[in-house]
Short mmCIF file of all heavy atoms in Angstrom, two decimals:
data_model
loop_
_atom_site.label_atom_id
_atom_site.label_comp_id
_atom_site.label_asym_id
_atom_site.label_seq_id
_atom_site.Cartn_x
_atom_site.Cartn_y
_atom_site.Cartn_z
N MET B 1 -3.45 -43.96 -78.15
CA MET B 1 -2.01 -43.75 -78.13
C MET B 1 -1.32 -44.70 -77.17
O MET B 1 -1.89 -45.00 -76.12
CB MET B 1 -1.70 -42.34 -77.75
CG MET B 1 -0.60 -41.69 -78.56
SD MET B 1 -0.55 -39.92 -78.37
CE MET B 1 0.62 -39.82 -77.02
N SER B 2 -0.16 -45.14 -77.47
CA SER B 2 0.49 -46.15 -76.55
C SER B 2 1.61 -45.58 -75.75
O SER B 2 2.54 -46.31 -75.37
CB SER B 2 0.97 -47.32 -77.47
OG SER B 2 1.97 -46.83 -78.31
N SER B 3 1.62 -44.29 -75.52
CA SER B 3 2.75 -43.75 -74.80
C SER B 3 2.68 -44.18 -73.36
O SER B 3 1.60 -44.42 -72.79
CB SER B 3 2.76 -42.22 -74.93
OG SER B 3 1.68 -41.68 -74.21
N ALA B 4 3.81 -44.25 -72.74
CA ALA B 4 3.91 -44.74 -71.33
C ALA B 4 3.21 -43.77 -70.36
O ALA B 4 3.10 -42.59 -70.66
CB ALA B 4 5.32 -44.89 -70.96
N THR B 5 2.75 -44.31 -69.30
CA THR B 5 2.21 -43.50 -68.23
C THR B 5 3.07 -43.67 -66.98
O THR B 5 3.49 -44.78 -66.71
CB THR B 5 0.73 -43.97 -67.95
OG1 THR B 5 -0.01 -43.80 -69.11
CG2 THR B 5 0.17 -43.07 -66.81
N VAL B 6 3.35 -42.58 -66.32
CA VAL B 6 4.06 -42.69 -65.06
C VAL B 6 3.04 -42.81 -63.94
O VAL B 6 2.32 -41.86 -63.63
CB VAL B 6 4.93 -41.45 -64.85
CG1 VAL B 6 5.76 -41.59 -63.56
CG2 VAL B 6 5.90 -41.23 -66.04
N ASP B 7 2.93 -43.98 -63.38
CA ASP B 7 1.91 -44.21 -62.33
C ASP B 7 2.37 -45.09 -61.20
O ASP B 7 1.58 -45.59 -60.43
CB ASP B 7 0.63 -44.75 -62.96
CG ASP B 7 0.85 -46.11 -63.59
OD1 ASP B 7 1.96 -46.63 -63.58
OD2 ASP B 7 -0.13 -46.68 -64.09
N LYS B 8 3.73 -45.22 -61.09
CA LYS B 8 4.22 -46.09 -59.97
C LYS B 8 5.67 -45.71 -59.63
O LYS B 8 6.38 -45.15 -60.44
CB LYS B 8 4.11 -47.54 -60.33
CG LYS B 8 4.90 -47.95 -61.56
CD LYS B 8 4.82 -49.44 -61.80
CE LYS B 8 3.73 -49.86 -62.76
NZ LYS B 8 3.83 -49.29 -64.12
N CYS B 9 6.05 -46.07 -58.40
CA CYS B 9 7.42 -46.05 -58.00
C CYS B 9 7.96 -47.43 -58.40
O CYS B 9 7.62 -48.44 -57.76
CB CYS B 9 7.54 -45.82 -56.51
SG CYS B 9 9.28 -45.94 -55.93
N ILE B 10 8.79 -47.42 -59.39
CA ILE B 10 9.27 -48.70 -59.92
C ILE B 10 10.17 -49.43 -58.91
O ILE B 10 10.07 -50.63 -58.71
CB ILE B 10 10.08 -48.46 -61.21
CG1 ILE B 10 9.14 -47.88 -62.29
CG2 ILE B 10 10.72 -49.74 -61.75
CD1 ILE B 10 9.86 -47.18 -63.44
N CYS B 11 10.99 -48.64 -58.21
CA CYS B 11 11.94 -49.23 -57.30
C CYS B 11 11.24 -49.93 -56.13
O CYS B 11 11.67 -51.00 -55.68
CB CYS B 11 12.90 -48.16 -56.73
SG CYS B 11 13.86 -47.41 -57.99
N HIS B 12 10.13 -49.43 -55.72
CA HIS B 12 9.37 -50.05 -54.60
C HIS B 12 8.19 -50.85 -55.09
O HIS B 12 7.44 -51.42 -54.23
CB HIS B 12 8.90 -48.95 -53.61
CG HIS B 12 9.99 -48.41 -52.77
ND1 HIS B 12 10.24 -48.83 -51.46
CD2 HIS B 12 10.89 -47.45 -53.00
CE1 HIS B 12 11.26 -48.17 -51.00
NE2 HIS B 12 11.71 -47.34 -51.93
N ARG B 13 8.00 -50.86 -56.37
CA ARG B 13 6.86 -51.64 -56.97
C ARG B 13 5.57 -51.22 -56.34
O ARG B 13 4.75 -52.06 -55.94
CB ARG B 13 7.07 -53.12 -56.85
CG ARG B 13 8.30 -53.59 -57.65
CD ARG B 13 8.40 -55.05 -57.62
NE ARG B 13 9.63 -55.48 -58.22
CZ ARG B 13 10.04 -56.72 -58.25
NH1 ARG B 13 9.34 -57.68 -57.74
NH2 ARG B 13 11.21 -57.03 -58.82
N ARG B 14 5.37 -49.93 -56.22
CA ARG B 14 4.10 -49.46 -55.62
C ARG B 14 3.46 -48.46 -56.59
O ARG B 14 4.12 -47.54 -57.10
CB ARG B 14 4.34 -48.75 -54.31
CG ARG B 14 4.59 -49.73 -53.17
CD ARG B 14 4.12 -49.11 -51.86
NE ARG B 14 4.16 -50.14 -50.84
CZ ARG B 14 5.19 -50.44 -50.02
NH1 ARG B 14 6.27 -49.67 -50.11
NH2 ARG B 14 5.13 -51.38 -49.16
N LYS B 15 2.14 -48.63 -56.80
CA LYS B 15 1.44 -47.71 -57.63
C LYS B 15 1.20 -46.38 -56.92
O LYS B 15 0.94 -46.39 -55.68
CB LYS B 15 0.07 -48.28 -58.00
CG LYS B 15 0.14 -49.40 -59.00
CD LYS B 15 -1.29 -49.64 -59.45
CE LYS B 15 -1.47 -51.06 -59.91
NZ LYS B 15 -2.90 -51.48 -59.88
N PHE B 16 1.16 -45.27 -57.66
CA PHE B 16 0.92 -44.00 -57.04
C PHE B 16 -0.47 -44.04 -56.36
O PHE B 16 -0.64 -43.40 -55.33
CB PHE B 16 0.94 -42.86 -58.09
CG PHE B 16 2.31 -42.57 -58.61
CD1 PHE B 16 2.47 -41.76 -59.75
CD2 PHE B 16 3.48 -43.08 -58.03
CE1 PHE B 16 3.71 -41.45 -60.25
CE2 PHE B 16 4.74 -42.79 -58.51
CZ PHE B 16 4.87 -41.96 -59.62
N SER B 17 -1.41 -44.71 -56.97
CA SER B 17 -2.77 -44.75 -56.37
C SER B 17 -2.71 -45.42 -54.97
O SER B 17 -3.38 -44.98 -54.06
CB SER B 17 -3.76 -45.47 -57.27
OG SER B 17 -3.27 -46.75 -57.60
N ASP B 18 -1.88 -46.45 -54.79
CA ASP B 18 -1.77 -47.11 -53.51
C ASP B 18 -0.99 -46.23 -52.50
O ASP B 18 -1.34 -46.10 -51.38
CB ASP B 18 -1.04 -48.46 -53.63
CG ASP B 18 -1.88 -49.45 -54.42
OD1 ASP B 18 -3.14 -49.34 -54.41
OD2 ASP B 18 -1.24 -50.35 -55.04
N ILE B 19 0.00 -45.52 -53.02
CA ILE B 19 0.77 -44.57 -52.20
C ILE B 19 -0.13 -43.45 -51.74
O ILE B 19 -0.10 -43.03 -50.56
CB ILE B 19 2.00 -44.06 -52.92
CG1 ILE B 19 2.96 -45.18 -53.31
CG2 ILE B 19 2.73 -43.01 -52.08
CD1 ILE B 19 4.01 -44.82 -54.31
N ASN B 20 -0.95 -42.94 -52.63
CA ASN B 20 -1.89 -41.88 -52.34
C ASN B 20 -2.85 -42.29 -51.22
O ASN B 20 -3.10 -41.53 -50.31
CB ASN B 20 -2.68 -41.51 -53.61
CG ASN B 20 -3.25 -40.14 -53.50
OD1 ASN B 20 -2.70 -39.26 -52.86
ND2 ASN B 20 -4.41 -39.91 -54.18
N LYS B 21 -3.37 -43.51 -51.34
CA LYS B 21 -4.28 -44.05 -50.29
C LYS B 21 -3.52 -44.10 -48.95
O LYS B 21 -4.07 -43.75 -47.93
CB LYS B 21 -4.73 -45.47 -50.66
CG LYS B 21 -6.09 -45.49 -51.32
CD LYS B 21 -6.51 -46.91 -51.61
CE LYS B 21 -6.95 -47.04 -53.05
NZ LYS B 21 -6.78 -48.34 -53.62
N TYR B 22 -2.31 -44.56 -49.00
CA TYR B 22 -1.49 -44.66 -47.79
C TYR B 22 -1.32 -43.28 -47.12
O TYR B 22 -1.44 -43.14 -45.92
CB TYR B 22 -0.14 -45.30 -48.10
CG TYR B 22 0.74 -45.55 -46.88
CD1 TYR B 22 0.67 -46.74 -46.20
CD2 TYR B 22 1.59 -44.56 -46.41
CE1 TYR B 22 1.44 -46.98 -45.10
CE2 TYR B 22 2.39 -44.78 -45.28
CZ TYR B 22 2.34 -45.99 -44.61
OH TYR B 22 3.07 -46.21 -43.52
N CYS B 23 -1.08 -42.33 -47.98
CA CYS B 23 -0.92 -40.93 -47.44
C CYS B 23 -2.18 -40.47 -46.74
O CYS B 23 -2.10 -39.85 -45.70
CB CYS B 23 -0.62 -39.98 -48.62
SG CYS B 23 1.01 -40.19 -49.29
N HIS B 24 -3.32 -40.73 -47.37
CA HIS B 24 -4.58 -40.34 -46.75
C HIS B 24 -4.81 -41.05 -45.43
O HIS B 24 -5.18 -40.41 -44.43
CB HIS B 24 -5.75 -40.63 -47.70
CG HIS B 24 -5.89 -39.58 -48.79
ND1 HIS B 24 -6.37 -38.31 -48.53
CD2 HIS B 24 -5.61 -39.61 -50.11
CE1 HIS B 24 -6.33 -37.62 -49.66
NE2 HIS B 24 -5.87 -38.40 -50.63
N ASN B 25 -4.56 -42.33 -45.42
CA ASN B 25 -4.81 -43.13 -44.23
C ASN B 25 -3.85 -42.82 -43.09
O ASN B 25 -4.13 -43.02 -41.90
CB ASN B 25 -4.67 -44.61 -44.56
CG ASN B 25 -5.83 -45.06 -45.48
OD1 ASN B 25 -6.84 -44.41 -45.55
ND2 ASN B 25 -5.65 -46.16 -46.17
N HIS B 26 -2.65 -42.32 -43.44
CA HIS B 26 -1.61 -42.05 -42.42
C HIS B 26 -1.28 -40.59 -42.27
O HIS B 26 -0.32 -40.21 -41.62
CB HIS B 26 -0.34 -42.86 -42.72
CG HIS B 26 -0.57 -44.36 -42.62
ND1 HIS B 26 -1.10 -45.08 -43.67
CD2 HIS B 26 -0.41 -45.20 -41.64
CE1 HIS B 26 -1.20 -46.34 -43.33
NE2 HIS B 26 -0.79 -46.46 -42.06
N ASP B 27 -2.12 -39.72 -42.84
CA ASP B 27 -1.95 -38.33 -42.76
C ASP B 27 -0.56 -37.83 -43.17
O ASP B 27 0.12 -37.10 -42.43
CB ASP B 27 -2.25 -37.89 -41.31
CG ASP B 27 -2.68 -36.45 -41.23
OD1 ASP B 27 -3.09 -35.89 -42.29
OD2 ASP B 27 -2.57 -35.80 -40.16
N ILE B 28 -0.09 -38.30 -44.32
CA ILE B 28 1.25 -37.96 -44.80
C ILE B 28 1.13 -36.94 -45.95
O ILE B 28 0.28 -37.09 -46.84
CB ILE B 28 1.98 -39.25 -45.30
CG1 ILE B 28 2.30 -40.12 -44.10
CG2 ILE B 28 3.24 -38.88 -46.10
CD1 ILE B 28 2.90 -41.46 -44.49
N SER B 29 1.94 -35.91 -45.93
CA SER B 29 1.84 -34.91 -46.99
C SER B 29 3.17 -34.53 -47.57
O SER B 29 3.28 -33.57 -48.31
CB SER B 29 1.12 -33.62 -46.43
OG SER B 29 1.90 -33.17 -45.30
N THR B 30 4.26 -35.27 -47.25
CA THR B 30 5.54 -34.95 -47.83
C THR B 30 6.23 -36.23 -48.30
O THR B 30 6.01 -37.30 -47.80
CB THR B 30 6.50 -34.27 -46.82
OG1 THR B 30 6.77 -35.22 -45.78
CG2 THR B 30 5.88 -33.03 -46.23
N VAL B 31 7.07 -36.02 -49.35
CA VAL B 31 7.86 -37.14 -49.89
C VAL B 31 8.82 -37.65 -48.82
O VAL B 31 9.06 -38.84 -48.70
CB VAL B 31 8.68 -36.65 -51.16
CG1 VAL B 31 9.55 -37.77 -51.63
CG2 VAL B 31 7.72 -36.19 -52.23
N GLU B 32 9.38 -36.69 -48.05
CA GLU B 32 10.35 -37.05 -47.07
C GLU B 32 9.80 -38.06 -46.04
O GLU B 32 10.42 -39.00 -45.63
CB GLU B 32 10.88 -35.81 -46.30
CG GLU B 32 11.73 -34.92 -47.16
CD GLU B 32 10.99 -34.07 -48.24
OE1 GLU B 32 9.72 -33.99 -48.15
OE2 GLU B 32 11.62 -33.60 -49.15
N LYS B 33 8.54 -37.86 -45.67
CA LYS B 33 7.84 -38.74 -44.72
C LYS B 33 7.66 -40.12 -45.34
O LYS B 33 7.86 -41.17 -44.69
CB LYS B 33 6.52 -38.12 -44.27
CG LYS B 33 5.79 -38.89 -43.24
CD LYS B 33 6.26 -38.54 -41.85
CE LYS B 33 5.40 -39.19 -40.80
NZ LYS B 33 6.14 -40.02 -39.87
N LEU B 34 7.29 -40.13 -46.60
CA LEU B 34 7.15 -41.41 -47.33
C LEU B 34 8.47 -42.19 -47.37
O LEU B 34 8.53 -43.37 -47.21
CB LEU B 34 6.60 -41.19 -48.75
CG LEU B 34 5.11 -40.81 -48.84
CD1 LEU B 34 4.76 -40.25 -50.21
CD2 LEU B 34 4.24 -41.99 -48.55
N GLN B 35 9.51 -41.41 -47.64
CA GLN B 35 10.87 -42.00 -47.65
C GLN B 35 11.25 -42.53 -46.26
O GLN B 35 11.76 -43.64 -46.17
CB GLN B 35 11.90 -40.95 -48.08
CG GLN B 35 11.75 -40.58 -49.54
CD GLN B 35 12.65 -39.41 -49.90
OE1 GLN B 35 12.76 -38.42 -49.15
NE2 GLN B 35 13.25 -39.45 -51.10
N ASP B 36 10.95 -41.77 -45.23
CA ASP B 36 11.26 -42.20 -43.85
C ASP B 36 10.58 -43.55 -43.54
O ASP B 36 11.14 -44.40 -42.87
CB ASP B 36 10.80 -41.20 -42.86
CG ASP B 36 11.66 -39.97 -42.80
OD1 ASP B 36 12.77 -40.05 -43.34
OD2 ASP B 36 11.28 -38.94 -42.15
N GLU B 37 9.37 -43.69 -44.07
CA GLU B 37 8.60 -44.88 -43.75
C GLU B 37 8.91 -46.02 -44.79
O GLU B 37 8.33 -47.12 -44.69
CB GLU B 37 7.13 -44.58 -43.75
CG GLU B 37 6.81 -43.52 -42.67
CD GLU B 37 5.36 -43.56 -42.18
OE1 GLU B 37 4.64 -44.45 -42.58
OE2 GLU B 37 5.02 -42.63 -41.40
N GLY B 38 9.77 -45.72 -45.72
CA GLY B 38 10.20 -46.73 -46.69
C GLY B 38 9.09 -47.13 -47.67
O GLY B 38 9.10 -48.24 -48.22
N ILE B 39 8.13 -46.23 -47.89
CA ILE B 39 7.01 -46.53 -48.82
C ILE B 39 7.45 -46.36 -50.26
O ILE B 39 7.12 -47.16 -51.12
CB ILE B 39 5.84 -45.57 -48.53
CG1 ILE B 39 5.39 -45.76 -47.07
CG2 ILE B 39 4.69 -45.83 -49.48
CD1 ILE B 39 5.00 -47.15 -46.67
N CYS B 40 8.21 -45.30 -50.58
CA CYS B 40 8.58 -45.10 -51.98
C CYS B 40 9.75 -44.11 -52.01
O CYS B 40 10.19 -43.53 -50.95
CB CYS B 40 7.42 -44.53 -52.77
SG CYS B 40 6.85 -42.95 -52.21
N SER B 41 10.32 -43.88 -53.23
CA SER B 41 11.22 -42.75 -53.50
C SER B 41 12.60 -42.83 -52.80
O SER B 41 13.24 -41.83 -52.70
CB SER B 41 10.59 -41.41 -53.08
OG SER B 41 9.29 -41.31 -53.66
N THR B 42 13.02 -44.03 -52.43
CA THR B 42 14.34 -44.16 -51.83
C THR B 42 15.36 -44.86 -52.77
O THR B 42 16.47 -45.18 -52.38
CB THR B 42 14.33 -44.89 -50.50
OG1 THR B 42 13.79 -46.21 -50.70
CG2 THR B 42 13.50 -44.15 -49.46
N GLY B 43 14.86 -45.17 -53.97
CA GLY B 43 15.74 -45.88 -54.93
C GLY B 43 16.37 -44.82 -55.83
O GLY B 43 17.19 -44.00 -55.47
N CYS B 44 15.97 -44.92 -57.11
CA CYS B 44 16.55 -44.05 -58.17
C CYS B 44 16.14 -42.56 -58.01
O CYS B 44 16.77 -41.69 -58.47
CB CYS B 44 16.17 -44.50 -59.56
SG CYS B 44 14.43 -44.36 -59.89
N GLY B 45 14.97 -42.38 -57.33
CA GLY B 45 14.50 -41.00 -57.13
C GLY B 45 13.75 -40.39 -58.25
O GLY B 45 13.27 -39.24 -58.16
N LEU B 46 13.58 -41.14 -59.34
CA LEU B 46 12.88 -40.57 -60.51
C LEU B 46 11.39 -40.28 -60.25
O LEU B 46 10.83 -39.40 -60.85
CB LEU B 46 12.97 -41.56 -61.72
CG LEU B 46 14.28 -41.53 -62.46
CD1 LEU B 46 14.24 -42.62 -63.54
CD2 LEU B 46 14.55 -40.16 -63.10
N CYS B 47 10.84 -40.95 -59.30
CA CYS B 47 9.42 -40.76 -59.03
C CYS B 47 9.14 -39.55 -58.12
O CYS B 47 8.02 -39.12 -57.99
CB CYS B 47 8.85 -42.01 -58.35
SG CYS B 47 9.62 -42.37 -56.77
N ILE B 48 10.19 -39.02 -57.52
CA ILE B 48 9.99 -37.95 -56.50
C ILE B 48 9.20 -36.75 -57.04
O ILE B 48 8.24 -36.36 -56.40
CB ILE B 48 11.35 -37.51 -55.91
CG1 ILE B 48 11.95 -38.66 -55.05
CG2 ILE B 48 11.20 -36.24 -55.08
CD1 ILE B 48 13.32 -38.40 -54.54
N PRO B 49 9.56 -36.20 -58.17
CA PRO B 49 8.74 -35.06 -58.66
C PRO B 49 7.29 -35.44 -58.91
O PRO B 49 6.42 -34.59 -58.72
CB PRO B 49 9.43 -34.58 -59.95
CG PRO B 49 10.41 -35.61 -60.29
CD PRO B 49 10.72 -36.41 -59.07
N TYR B 50 7.07 -36.67 -59.35
CA TYR B 50 5.66 -37.14 -59.59
C TYR B 50 4.94 -37.31 -58.29
O TYR B 50 3.74 -36.97 -58.18
CB TYR B 50 5.71 -38.43 -60.40
CG TYR B 50 6.31 -38.21 -61.77
CD1 TYR B 50 7.60 -38.62 -62.01
CD2 TYR B 50 5.57 -37.63 -62.80
CE1 TYR B 50 8.20 -38.39 -63.26
CE2 TYR B 50 6.14 -37.45 -64.04
CZ TYR B 50 7.47 -37.82 -64.28
OH TYR B 50 8.04 -37.61 -65.48
N ILE B 51 5.63 -37.86 -57.30
CA ILE B 51 4.99 -37.99 -55.97
C ILE B 51 4.61 -36.60 -55.43
O ILE B 51 3.55 -36.47 -54.84
CB ILE B 51 5.97 -38.75 -55.01
CG1 ILE B 51 6.24 -40.19 -55.48
CG2 ILE B 51 5.40 -38.78 -53.56
CD1 ILE B 51 5.16 -41.18 -55.24
N ARG B 52 5.50 -35.64 -55.64
CA ARG B 52 5.20 -34.30 -55.18
C ARG B 52 3.95 -33.79 -55.85
O ARG B 52 3.12 -33.18 -55.19
CB ARG B 52 6.38 -33.35 -55.47
CG ARG B 52 7.59 -33.60 -54.60
CD ARG B 52 8.23 -32.31 -54.10
NE ARG B 52 9.19 -32.63 -53.05
CZ ARG B 52 10.45 -32.90 -53.24
NH1 ARG B 52 11.00 -32.83 -54.40
NH2 ARG B 52 11.21 -33.22 -52.24
N MET B 53 3.87 -34.03 -57.15
CA MET B 53 2.67 -33.54 -57.88
C MET B 53 1.41 -34.29 -57.38
O MET B 53 0.35 -33.70 -57.27
CB MET B 53 2.84 -33.78 -59.40
CG MET B 53 3.64 -32.68 -60.04
SD MET B 53 3.33 -32.63 -61.81
CE MET B 53 4.19 -34.12 -62.31
N MET B 54 1.57 -35.54 -57.10
CA MET B 54 0.46 -36.38 -56.57
C MET B 54 -0.05 -35.76 -55.25
O MET B 54 -1.24 -35.58 -55.06
CB MET B 54 0.90 -37.80 -56.40
CG MET B 54 -0.19 -38.68 -55.85
SD MET B 54 0.43 -40.25 -55.30
CE MET B 54 1.04 -39.81 -53.62
N LEU B 55 0.90 -35.46 -54.36
CA LEU B 55 0.56 -34.94 -53.07
C LEU B 55 -0.13 -33.59 -53.19
O LEU B 55 -1.04 -33.22 -52.42
CB LEU B 55 1.79 -34.82 -52.19
CG LEU B 55 2.41 -36.16 -51.72
CD1 LEU B 55 3.84 -35.91 -51.14
CD2 LEU B 55 1.51 -36.87 -50.75
N LYS B 56 0.25 -32.83 -54.22
CA LYS B 56 -0.29 -31.50 -54.41
C LYS B 56 -1.64 -31.54 -55.10
O LYS B 56 -2.57 -30.82 -54.75
CB LYS B 56 0.67 -30.68 -55.28
CG LYS B 56 0.60 -29.19 -55.07
CD LYS B 56 1.81 -28.48 -55.58
CE LYS B 56 1.71 -28.07 -57.02
NZ LYS B 56 2.92 -27.39 -57.55
N THR B 57 -1.79 -32.42 -56.04
CA THR B 57 -3.02 -32.44 -56.92
C THR B 57 -3.91 -33.60 -56.70
O THR B 57 -5.08 -33.55 -57.08
CB THR B 57 -2.61 -32.44 -58.39
OG1 THR B 57 -1.99 -33.71 -58.66
CG2 THR B 57 -1.65 -31.29 -58.74
N GLY B 58 -3.47 -34.69 -56.11
CA GLY B 58 -4.26 -35.88 -55.94
C GLY B 58 -4.28 -36.78 -57.16
O GLY B 58 -4.87 -37.85 -57.11
N ARG B 59 -3.61 -36.33 -58.18
CA ARG B 59 -3.56 -37.17 -59.41
C ARG B 59 -2.60 -38.35 -59.20
O ARG B 59 -1.61 -38.22 -58.45
CB ARG B 59 -3.10 -36.37 -60.61
CG ARG B 59 -4.15 -35.38 -61.08
CD ARG B 59 -3.58 -34.44 -62.13
NE ARG B 59 -3.03 -35.20 -63.26
CZ ARG B 59 -2.03 -34.74 -63.98
NH1 ARG B 59 -1.43 -33.62 -63.73
NH2 ARG B 59 -1.55 -35.49 -64.97
N THR B 60 -2.87 -39.46 -59.88
CA THR B 60 -2.01 -40.62 -59.68
C THR B 60 -1.46 -41.20 -60.96
O THR B 60 -0.93 -42.29 -61.00
CB THR B 60 -2.77 -41.75 -58.93
OG1 THR B 60 -3.99 -42.04 -59.62
CG2 THR B 60 -3.13 -41.35 -57.49
N ALA B 61 -1.58 -40.48 -62.06
CA ALA B 61 -1.02 -40.88 -63.34
C ALA B 61 -0.57 -39.59 -64.07
O ALA B 61 -1.27 -38.63 -64.12
CB ALA B 61 -2.03 -41.66 -64.16
N PHE B 62 0.62 -39.72 -64.66
CA PHE B 62 1.22 -38.57 -65.28
C PHE B 62 1.84 -38.91 -66.61
O PHE B 62 2.22 -40.10 -66.82
CB PHE B 62 2.30 -37.94 -64.39
CG PHE B 62 1.79 -37.61 -63.03
CD1 PHE B 62 1.88 -38.50 -62.00
CD2 PHE B 62 1.22 -36.38 -62.79
CE1 PHE B 62 1.40 -38.18 -60.73
CE2 PHE B 62 0.72 -36.05 -61.50
CZ PHE B 62 0.82 -36.98 -60.51
N LYS B 63 2.02 -37.95 -67.44
CA LYS B 63 2.80 -38.17 -68.66
C LYS B 63 4.25 -38.11 -68.35
O LYS B 63 4.65 -37.26 -67.53
CB LYS B 63 2.41 -37.07 -69.71
CG LYS B 63 1.07 -37.19 -70.27
CD LYS B 63 0.90 -36.16 -71.42
CE LYS B 63 -0.56 -35.85 -71.62
NZ LYS B 63 -0.89 -34.44 -71.45
N PRO B 64 5.07 -38.97 -69.01
CA PRO B 64 6.50 -38.90 -68.83
C PRO B 64 7.01 -37.45 -69.08
O PRO B 64 6.60 -36.86 -70.10
CB PRO B 64 7.06 -39.88 -69.81
CG PRO B 64 5.94 -40.78 -70.12
CD PRO B 64 4.71 -39.97 -70.01
N GLY B 65 7.81 -36.92 -68.22
CA GLY B 65 8.36 -35.58 -68.44
C GLY B 65 7.47 -34.48 -67.94
O GLY B 65 7.86 -33.32 -67.88
N GLU B 66 6.31 -34.79 -67.45
CA GLU B 66 5.35 -33.80 -66.97
C GLU B 66 5.92 -33.01 -65.78
O GLU B 66 5.67 -31.83 -65.65
CB GLU B 66 4.03 -34.46 -66.54
CG GLU B 66 2.88 -33.59 -66.50
CD GLU B 66 1.57 -34.30 -66.24
OE1 GLU B 66 1.41 -35.44 -66.75
OE2 GLU B 66 0.74 -33.75 -65.55
N SER B 67 6.73 -33.69 -64.97
CA SER B 67 7.24 -32.99 -63.82
C SER B 67 8.20 -31.88 -64.22
O SER B 67 8.32 -30.86 -63.56
CB SER B 67 8.04 -34.03 -62.93
OG SER B 67 9.10 -34.59 -63.62
N PHE B 68 8.89 -32.03 -65.32
CA PHE B 68 9.82 -31.00 -65.78
C PHE B 68 9.04 -29.81 -66.30
O PHE B 68 9.38 -28.65 -66.08
CB PHE B 68 10.75 -31.53 -66.89
CG PHE B 68 11.58 -32.65 -66.39
CD1 PHE B 68 11.32 -33.97 -66.77
CD2 PHE B 68 12.65 -32.44 -65.52
CE1 PHE B 68 12.11 -35.03 -66.32
CE2 PHE B 68 13.41 -33.46 -65.06
CZ PHE B 68 13.13 -34.79 -65.43
N LYS B 69 7.91 -30.10 -66.99
CA LYS B 69 7.09 -29.03 -67.49
C LYS B 69 6.55 -28.20 -66.35
O LYS B 69 6.58 -27.01 -66.31
CB LYS B 69 5.95 -29.67 -68.27
CG LYS B 69 5.23 -28.72 -69.18
CD LYS B 69 4.28 -29.48 -70.12
CE LYS B 69 3.32 -28.53 -70.71
NZ LYS B 69 1.92 -28.88 -70.42
N GLU B 70 6.05 -28.92 -65.32
CA GLU B 70 5.51 -28.32 -64.13
C GLU B 70 6.51 -27.35 -63.50
O GLU B 70 6.21 -26.27 -63.13
CB GLU B 70 5.07 -29.44 -63.15
CG GLU B 70 4.95 -29.00 -61.70
CD GLU B 70 3.50 -28.67 -61.33
OE1 GLU B 70 2.64 -28.74 -62.23
OE2 GLU B 70 3.26 -28.34 -60.18
N LYS B 71 7.78 -27.83 -63.42
CA LYS B 71 8.84 -27.05 -62.80
C LYS B 71 9.03 -25.73 -63.54
O LYS B 71 9.08 -24.66 -62.94
CB LYS B 71 10.10 -27.90 -62.81
CG LYS B 71 10.79 -27.92 -61.45
CD LYS B 71 12.07 -28.72 -61.53
CE LYS B 71 11.92 -30.03 -60.78
NZ LYS B 71 13.05 -30.95 -61.02
N SER B 72 9.12 -25.85 -64.85
CA SER B 72 9.43 -24.58 -65.65
C SER B 72 8.24 -23.66 -65.65
O SER B 72 8.46 -22.47 -65.78
CB SER B 72 9.84 -24.97 -67.03
OG SER B 72 8.83 -25.68 -67.65
N GLU B 73 7.07 -24.20 -65.44
CA GLU B 73 5.88 -23.29 -65.43
C GLU B 73 5.65 -22.61 -64.11
O GLU B 73 4.96 -21.59 -63.99
CB GLU B 73 4.61 -24.06 -65.80
CG GLU B 73 4.48 -24.30 -67.32
CD GLU B 73 3.38 -25.21 -67.69
OE1 GLU B 73 2.66 -25.65 -66.82
OE2 GLU B 73 3.21 -25.45 -68.91
N SER B 74 6.19 -23.21 -63.07
CA SER B 74 5.91 -22.71 -61.73
C SER B 74 6.96 -21.73 -61.23
O SER B 74 6.99 -21.36 -60.09
CB SER B 74 5.75 -23.85 -60.74
OG SER B 74 6.98 -24.51 -60.59
N THR B 75 7.82 -21.26 -62.10
CA THR B 75 8.84 -20.32 -61.65
C THR B 75 8.30 -18.88 -61.69
O THR B 75 7.42 -18.57 -62.35
CB THR B 75 10.09 -20.38 -62.49
OG1 THR B 75 9.74 -20.38 -63.88
CG2 THR B 75 10.91 -21.64 -62.17
S1 FES W 101 10.97 -45.05 -59.11
FE1 FES W 101 10.63 -44.40 -57.08
S2 FES W 101 12.68 -44.40 -56.25
FE2 FES W 101 12.96 -45.24 -58.27
#
């Protein structure tokens, strides 16, 4: 299947896998801290729910729209 994969912060041109490594190396566990350090998520903000899922699950690739599904299931 050729559907798109969400695996990067487009605005910062950083892959989630690289951001995940950075988090491990710098003991970061929140999106806010990543934003403070200018690593990701300070542009359009579309990656924020995916970064949150990454921090929670360790996954670095998602289906488009998966963050919305997660939200509605976790209520
Ligand atoms: S894709 Fe991450 S801020 Fe725009």
Side-chain angles (χ1 to χ4, degrees):
M1 222 166 90
S2 64
S3 70
T5 301
V6 182
D7 62 358
K8 61 177 94 60
C9 175
I10 297 162
C11 300
H12 285 263
R13 296 186 187 174
R14 285 209 168 93
K15 286 192 205 157
F16 290 167
S17 55
D18 292 335
I19 298 168
N20 200 32
K21 262 183 230 152
Y22 185 90
C23 289
H24 281 288
N25 293 341
H26 296 83
D27 204 20
I28 290 173
S29 57
T30 64
V31 176
E32 290 73 17
K33 184 84 173 124
L34 286 166
Q35 289 171 321
D36 285 350
E37 299 202 7
I39 302 302
C40 62
S41 309
T42 60
C44 69
L46 281 176
C47 62
I48 292 174
Y50 297 99
I51 296 283
R52 287 221 167 93
M53 280 201 286
M54 180 195 81
L55 291 168
K56 207 160 90 181
T57 65
R59 289 172 56 210
T60 55
F62 304 92
K63 289 187 202 121
E66 201 173 323
S67 61
F68 299 106
K69 198 170 161 235
E70 160 97 357
K71 230 181 251 170
S72 60
E73 280 174 1
S74 64
T75 48

